[in-house]
């Protein structure tokens, strides 16, 4: 059916066109708006600045061990292995292998991450302690500078982010989050410790620093800490400070109690001895004064001795309560919109600089990106793909060890 198949005059055509014109225009506008909205909300492609899985021998060409940090005999060797138990024997990582050694390693990012680009920072990697770590770090660092010196990379090298597990003894077990502040020219440690995993399985650690000045930490893709950078780190000066022009008045009474002026020390109180001769003691029958000397009874605590005299305490009628220093707005307080900008001059490298007493920590599946979704996708392809099989293999290993112990115990009993 066509409206133009009907016999009509030119005036009829004009009437028909005027009738349908708003509908045509409206539909065209709807299509234009939808197309524009779809184009506008389409997510930008995630940028991957670094990715490492250590699944080939060429990993040594991509990474550099520092030769100028410590003496050669103090440096431990990295072992390329899947570990003693794993989800896939061909899926390898790098593992610390010599006790009481320093470990250093760094690699250039595929592309410099610059906070001025206005993108989130996502740093993720996996850690497995096969050795029941008693004291040692397992953290990773994001490093700035176009002139980064890989040969001398070590503990004193400036860094922008330090993130990951650190264990030493029973009380120091935390997941470090340390971020660089340009305004303070300092590295800021998170105020409240984040717990860390201490078992022998692989765990995935993820740090997100967002451009809205918030952050989040995930362990095994579960959020364990999140918040505002200003609340969890000392990026900003205090909003209020003590008024420097105010001080506690000289006549301010902040003692809630006072000595009772009507309480007087009894006469002779200071003459009461602390010890007295035991009234129940008797001179032994075989005591000889000529041979043994004059007998004296042993001394005991005097039940009447009450210690140095102190007046009774009563409520102080002049008590005004604790003096509180008046606060004023801090004239130096300025909100920093760029707290998240930990890589202002660009982060170019990533690395490990560690000390471990007992070694056996295995690192794998590192990614630096601007998208949490991209990091989670990478985790699904790596960590989550092999975690269950690894856990099963560890259980089998422990059961085999228990069986060997049982056999050894039976053998010892039979021998004795």
């Amino acid at each position: 059916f066509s409206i133009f198949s009907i016999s009509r005059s030119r005036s009829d055509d004009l009437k028909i066109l005027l009738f349908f014109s708003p509908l045509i225009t409206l539909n065209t506008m709807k299509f234009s708006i939808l197309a524009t909205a779809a184009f506008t909300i389409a997510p930008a492609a995630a940028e991957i600045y670094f990715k490492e899985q250590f699944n080939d021998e060429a990993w040594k060409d991509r990474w550099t061990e520092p030769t100028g940090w410590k003496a050669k005999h103090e440096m431990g060797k990295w072992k390329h292995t899947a570990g003693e138990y794993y989800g896939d024997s061909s899926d390898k990582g790098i593992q610390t292998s010599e006790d009481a050694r320093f470990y250093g390693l760094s690699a250039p990012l595929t592309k410099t991450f610059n906070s001025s680009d206005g993108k989130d920072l996502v740093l993720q990697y996996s850690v497995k302690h096969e050795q029941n770590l008693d004291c040692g770090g397992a953290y990773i660092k994001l490093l700035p500078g176009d002139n980064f010196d890989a040969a001398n990379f070590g503990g004193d090298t400036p860094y922008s982010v330090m993130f990951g597990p650190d264990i030493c003894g029973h009380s120091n077990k935390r997941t470090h989050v340390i971020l660089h502040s340009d305004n303070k020219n300092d590295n800021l440690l998170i105020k409240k410790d984040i717990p860390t995993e201490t078992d022998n399985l692989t765990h995935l650690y993820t740090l997100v620093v967002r451009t809205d000045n918030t952050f989040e930490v995930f362990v095994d893709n579960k959020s364990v800490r999140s918040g505002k950078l200003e609340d969890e780190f000392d990026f900003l000066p205090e909003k209020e400070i003590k008024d420097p022009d105010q001080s506690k008045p000289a006549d301010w009474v902040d003692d809630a109690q006072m000595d009772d002026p009507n309480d007087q020390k009894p006469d002779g109180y200071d003459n009461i001895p602390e010890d007295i001769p035991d009234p129940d003691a008797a001179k032994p029958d075989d005591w000889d004064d000529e041979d043994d000397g004059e007998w004296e009874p042993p001394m005991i605590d005097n039940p009447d001795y009450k210690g140095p005299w102190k007046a009774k305490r009563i409520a102080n009628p002049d008590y005004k309560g604790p003096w509180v220093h008046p606060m004023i707005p801090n004239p130096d307080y300025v909100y920093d919109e760029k707290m998240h900008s930990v890589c202002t001059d660009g982060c170019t490298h990533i690395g490990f600089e560690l000390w471990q007493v007992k070694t056996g920590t295995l690192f794998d599946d590192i990614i630096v990106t601007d998208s949490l979704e991209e990091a989670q996708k990478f985790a699904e392809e790596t960590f989550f793909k092999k975690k269950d099989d690894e856990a099963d293999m560890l259980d089998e290993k422990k059961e085999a060890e228990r069986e060997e112990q049982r056999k050894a115990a039976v053998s010892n009993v039979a021998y004795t």
Side-chain angles (χ1 to χ4, degrees), residues 8-21:
R8 60 197 177 278
S9 64
R10 292 182 62 185
S11 61
D12 291 333
D13 287 344
L14 181 58
K15 292 177 182 177
I16 293 171
L17 181 60
L18 290 174
F19 177 80
F20 281 94
S21 179

Side-chain angles (χ1 to χ4, degrees), residues 241-247 325-326 328:
I241 60 172
K242 293 179 179 179
D243 187 347
D245 297 328
Q246 297 289 332
S247 60
H325 202 126
I328 61 172

Side-chain angles (χ1 to χ4, degrees), residues 234-406:
D234 288 325
F235 275 99
L236 304 176
E238 297 293 334
K239 289 185 178 181
E240 291 186 320
I241 60 172
K242 293 179 179 179
D243 187 347
D245 297 328
Q246 297 289 332
S247 60
K248 185 169 72 171
D251 61 350
W252 188 273
V253 178
D254 50 13
D255 290 327
Q257 291 189 318
M258 58 177 285
D259 290 344
D260 184 353
N262 297 320
D263 188 21
Q264 301 295 320
K265 181 166 62 175
D267 293 338
Y269 185 92
D270 292 337
N271 297 326
I272 301 174
E274 186 173 349
D275 300 316
I276 61 172
D278 184 354
D280 297 326
K283 179 179 177 180
D285 294 337
D286 58 353
W287 187 272
D288 189 319
D289 289 341
E290 292 184 2
D291 294 336
D292 300 326
E294 184 179 356
W295 181 82
E296 294 180 356
M299 303 296 287
I300 61 171
D301 292 339
N302 185 352
D304 295 327
Y305 179 73
K306 306 299 182 183
W309 185 83
K310 294 180 181 179
K312 295 178 182 178
R313 303 285 285 176
I314 61 173
N316 190 342
D318 297 324
Y319 175 62
K320 296 182 179 181
W323 185 77
V324 179
H325 202 126
M327 305 294 286
I328 61 172
N330 185 355
D332 297 326
Y333 176 82
V334 178
Y335 184 80
D336 182 8
E337 297 285 354
K338 299 294 184 180
M339 284 181 282
H340 67 276
S341 187
V342 294
C343 294
T344 302
D345 297 325
C347 288
T348 60
H349 288 70
I350 196 164
F352 299 97
E353 62 82 16
L354 310 170
W355 161 261
Q356 289 198 338
V357 175
K358 191 175 181 181
T359 56
T361 301
L362 192 148
F363 303 94
D364 201 3
D365 301 329
I366 308 168
I367 187 171
V368 179
T369 179
D370 57 11
S371 166
L372 177 58
E373 291 74 17
E374 185 68 28
Q376 291 171 333
K377 177 183 175 184
F378 184 56
E380 291 294 337
E381 296 169 353
T382 54
F383 171 73
F384 286 104
K385 186 177 180 180
K386 55 194 176 184
K387 66 182 290 290
D388 291 339
D389 289 340
E390 178 192 280
D392 291 342
M393 188 173 182
L394 177 59
D395 288 342
E396 293 171 2
K397 178 178 180 293
K398 289 182 176 180
E399 180 57 35
E401 291 172 351
R402 287 191 290 268
E403 182 61 27
E404 286 297 320
Q405 292 172 356
R406 285 193 290 267

